[in-house]
Amino acid sequence: MLRVAVIGSGPSGVYTAQSLIEQQTVPDIEVYVLDRLPCPYGLVRYGVAPDHEKIKSLQNNLRTVLEHPGVHFLGNVQVGAPGLGLQQLLEIFDAVVFCVGAATDRHLGIPGEDLPGSHPATDFVAWYSAHPDAATNRFGLTARSAIVIGVGNVAVDVTRMLSRGAAELAATDMPQDALGALADSQVEDVWMIGRRGPSQAKFTTKELRELGSLPGTEVLVRPDELALDPAYRDPGGLPAVGRRNVEVLRGWAERPTGATTPVGRRRRIHLRFFLRPMEVLGDAAGVRAVRFERTAPDGRGGVTGTGEFEEIEGQLVLRSVGYRGTPQPGLPFDEATGTVPHRAGRVLQDGAPLPGVYVAGWIKRGPTGVIGTNRPCAKETAQSLLEDAATLTERRTTEDPVAALTRAGQSPVAWPGWLAIEAAEAEWGRGLGRGPVKLPDWAGLLEAARTADVTC
Ligand code: NAP
């Protein structure tokens, strides 16, 4: 029998497990999906915004895989210091597939970046998603103006969440303290700012368009800024998504005067382009503005500085400039890309495959693409592993993996433990007059998991 550990239970991990069990080449296979958290689904649970119910419902598909008899979910298992090392894993499993995503954020590298009030957007996402590593009460939204740096889909998510009213979000599974903070939010202006032009923005059109449909919020774009982009004037050569984005922005820019600011609109989203962040301004008491340099297209897809500067006032700054992968225990790591070197999913050490070790998802290809992009990526890795199957067996112990992990100092939370967490979240939500509400801290999650009749 081939016994495989998949590290990470987000989409790439679950699609890898699915590819491994839905094949005929190696029929005798058991897949253990390990996660650091006691809860499965990775960024689908802790990254997809709570108001994107349709994408969230993908959890139902992932669940079917994790409930397959050949797949075993084990949460609360720490891989990497101070937990399990690669050799320990290879003593328990024939093969290990790292599907750990990109755990941290990229940095801007500008002065003032770490002033109080300036945060990675991923921290804000973790907070409103009730990630147990995010401190509760982290974001009191007392700022009147918030600045979001970057124009990718995460930037759109946080801009939308800052602009939505709490009443619209009460039906979601958002944690109670985040909902309360949004209800008391003083934010009136949200600035979402790209260093390049509108045709080069990374957001997708559906997400962009949604900003225009938020109740009580108007979207402002500057026709003169859009017109700086040659592809905005002539979008014919753009990829489809760029063309559609440009059309949405054009619709907003060319609204007749007076068509905006209807009475009752409390919030404004300002979409700005060709502004490169230079410095976050403020002091120990907090940020007060961001200083940008105006840029101009360089004709090769990049921009050059113009030597003109603009300060935008804001008391909250969310830096949304992409995720970044982190080194994994015992694995080589490419610092430049934040990924693990591989060939078709086989981890490469000094150019040669590291026996029994594989990668899939963002740690393999970098933090790009939508959830579905993980399917073919995971399939490729699973295929490589299955091709290697004959060389993988016979090294590991025959001890039951749960016993071996426990002996190695871990306290795995198995599927019944997760079901108990789900039940506790439903019950907590009922008490608050809401649907299921996420438990936001480790203690609450582990206590709920412990109420399961069977833990392994
Ligand atoms: P992203 O798509 O890579 O966007 C990063 C943004 O940051 C870009 O606008 C980039 O501009 C900008 N940026 C990078 N370095 C910068 C700097 N030094 N100064 C100023 N701006 C800088 O990353 P993301 O938004 O974190 O999204 C990650 C992935 O998750 C994407 O594939 C995304 O589609 C996906 N996602 C999808 C959804 C959804 O489908 N609803 C939701 C969230 C995330 P340049 O282009 O100029 O580098």
Side-chain angles (χ1 to χ4, degrees):
M1 178 198 281
L2 196 65
R3 191 195 274 174
V4 180
V6 170
I7 315 297
S9 64
S12 64
V14 176
Y15 291 145
T16 300
Q18 185 172 22
S19 298
L20 290 172
I21 51 164
E22 286 182 355
Q23 48 77 40
Q24 311 297 328
T25 351
V26 184
D28 207 3
I29 190 165
E30 291 273 313
V31 183
Y32 288 80
V33 180
L34 314 184
D35 204 294
R36 193 172 74 79
L37 300 179
C39 313
Y41 311 135
L43 278 184
V44 177
R45 177 171 161 95
Y46 287 117
V48 172
D51 60 337
H52 276 179
E53 283 99 354
K54 196 160 167 222
I55 310 181
K56 283 251 175 236
S57 70
L58 260 175
Q59 288 187 8
N60 299 329
N61 302 17
L62 304 183
R63 175 185 205 106
T64 312
V65 178
L66 293 176
E67 288 184 334
H68 185 284
V71 177
H72 312 274
F73 170 75
L74 295 176
N76 196 34
V77 173
Q78 172 83 41
V79 171
L84 301 159
L86 181 60
Q87 282 320 311
Q88 272 176 302
L89 286 167
L90 288 171
E91 280 160 20
I92 307 173
F93 301 98
D94 300 310
V96 183
V97 190
F98 284 82
C99 302
V100 292
T104 186
D105 61 294
R106 291 177 57 199
H107 285 219
L108 284 171
I110 60 172
E113 182 168 18
D114 296 316
L115 281 173
S118 167
H119 309 268
T122 49
D123 278 8
F124 188 63
V125 172
W127 170 72
Y128 68 59
S129 303
H131 193 291
D133 288 345
T136 48
N137 302 321
R138 175 81 197 276
F139 291 90
L141 297 173
T142 52
R144 200 198 51 72
S145 171
I147 299 172
V148 179
I149 298 176
V151 283
N153 276 332
V154 170
V156 176
D157 276 350
V158 299
T159 296
R160 193 180 67 254
M161 292 301 286
L162 282 168
S163 308
R164 271 210 196 283
E168 296 167 62
L169 293 163
T172 72
D173 62 3
M174 254 182 107
Q176 192 66 6
D177 86 298
L179 197 63
L182 286 176
D184 297 338
S185 168
Q186 305 295 308
V187 175
E188 291 173 6
D189 291 277
V190 185
W191 303 78
M192 188 169 98
I193 300 182
R195 61 180 171 179
R196 298 192 290 156
S199 69
Q200 292 147 331
K202 295 270 178 65
F203 44 61
T204 42
T205 315
K206 186 166 162 285
E207 279 63 30
L208 173 66
R209 202 177 274 130
E210 201 178 353
L211 293 179
S213 63
L214 301 177
T217 302
E218 70 176 303
V219 180
L220 299 167
V221 285
R222 289 180 32 171
D224 58 327
E225 224 163 58
L226 301 185
L228 272 177
D229 187 339
Y232 177 77
R233 294 192 298 270
D234 177 16
L238 287 175
V241 62
R243 242 184 356 257
R244 287 194 297 262
N245 285 347
V246 159
E247 286 322 307
V248 173
L249 292 166
R250 193 188 303 283
W252 287 333
E254 294 177 2
R255 272 177 306 209
T257 318
T260 59
T261 37
V263 179
R265 299 229 160 172
R266 290 192 302 126
R267 291 207 169 106
R268 291 164 293 275
I269 295 173
H270 308 258
L271 296 187
R272 298 288 309 271
F273 296 95
F274 293 113
L275 290 173
R276 172 157 71 197
M278 302 300 287
E279 183 172 1
V280 179
L281 304 169
D283 53 31
V287 299
R288 64 168 178 80
V290 179
R291 186 163 185 261
F292 293 91
E293 180 179 18
R294 284 183 209 274
T295 61
D298 66 2
R300 299 186 305 277
V303 285
T304 51
T306 63
E308 283 177 50
F309 296 88
E310 177 174 342
E311 272 181 27
I312 295 181
E313 180 226 311
Q315 302 77 38
L316 172 66
V317 173
L318 297 178
R319 311 181 309 263
S320 184
V321 295
Y323 290 88
R324 187 178 154 75
T326 53
Q328 298 302 305
L331 268 59
F333 187 69
D334 181 343
E335 283 292 343
T337 58
T339 59
V340 170
H342 73 97
R343 189 181 306 128
R346 293 179 181 94
V347 170
L348 296 180
Q349 178 104 61
D350 302 323
L354 196 58
V357 189
Y358 303 83
V359 280
W362 278 2
I363 195 66
K364 171 184 174 187
R365 55 172 216 279
T368 58
V370 292
I371 292 171
T373 317
N374 289 298
R375 263 186 191 284
C377 174
K379 203 167 174 183
E380 180 191 59
T381 296
Q383 189 57 41
S384 296
L385 191 157
L386 294 166
E387 282 167 19
D388 299 346
T391 65
L392 293 175
T393 44
E394 291 184 15
R395 283 172 304 156
R396 52 120 170 130
T397 168
T398 50
E399 189 182 10
D400 172 67
V402 174
L405 289 168
T406 307
R407 206 164 42 74
Q410 304 293 313
S411 308
V413 167
W415 194 248
W418 158 243
L419 295 181
I421 291 173
E422 272 193 322
E425 294 188 335
E427 192 174 329
W428 194 37
R430 261 194 304 279
L432 295 166
R434 298 174 57 193
V437 172
K438 282 183 183 160
L439 298 171
D441 58 276
W442 277 97
L445 290 167
L446 292 177
E447 195 182 310
R450 269 194 287 273
T451 64
D453 292 340
V454 193
T455 50
C456 297

